[in-house]
Amino acid sequence: QVQLVESGGGLVQAGGSLRLSCAASGRTFSSRAMGWFRQAPGKEREFVAAISGSGGILDYADSLKGRFTISRDNAKSLVYLQMNSLKPEDTAIYYCASGPLWGIMRTASRYDSWGQGTQVTVSS
């Protein structure tokens, strides 16, 4: 497992952009799959995006392709989520997650470490 700390959330107007960061501790960061999930009020946690340890494999929720981009910097043990053209329905708590192996990363059970979340609020 690793310790994860998200940052970069905040209030933004519709159409704006935000970049979330997730700082990871631990020596195995570069071998671990990383993902972002989000949970809106009254809704279940949903998959947003995932990236393999090398950064060579990416996966996105179908509804978010083209607006969100996941990336990572293994030298700095950071993973990012660039969010563009934000909509009010993107309002949620965004969670960073880490899993030991790449697989079907849209499933929360693939991850063994979670951050505390960062709030993103998009105003109309």
Side-chain angles (χ1 to χ4, degrees), residues 4-9 19-23 33-39 45-51 59-61 64 68-72 78-83 93-98 105-106 111 114-115 117-120:
L4 303 171
V5 179
E6 302 96 334
S7 61
R19 188 177 80 159
L20 305 183
S21 299
C22 174
M34 299 296 295
W36 287 95
F37 286 73
R38 67 184 185 183
Q39 187 166 18
R45 189 171 299 191
E46 65 173 348
F47 171 76
V48 173
I51 186 168
D59 191 21
Y60 294 94
L64 300 176
F68 288 16
T69 302
I70 189 170
S71 61
R72 65 190 295 160
L78 289 168
V79 63
Y80 303 102
L81 183 68
Q82 177 68 44
M83 306 185 294
I93 299 174
Y94 284 72
Y95 296 90
C96 175
S98 177
M105 305 311 295
R106 298 185 178 204
Y111 301 85
W114 293 83
T118 186
Q119 176 71 48
V120 171

Side-chain angles (χ1 to χ4, degrees), residues 1-17:
Q1 293 185 343
V2 297
Q3 302 278 337
L4 303 171
V5 179
E6 302 96 334
S7 61
L11 175 64
V12 63
Q13 289 188 331
S17 298

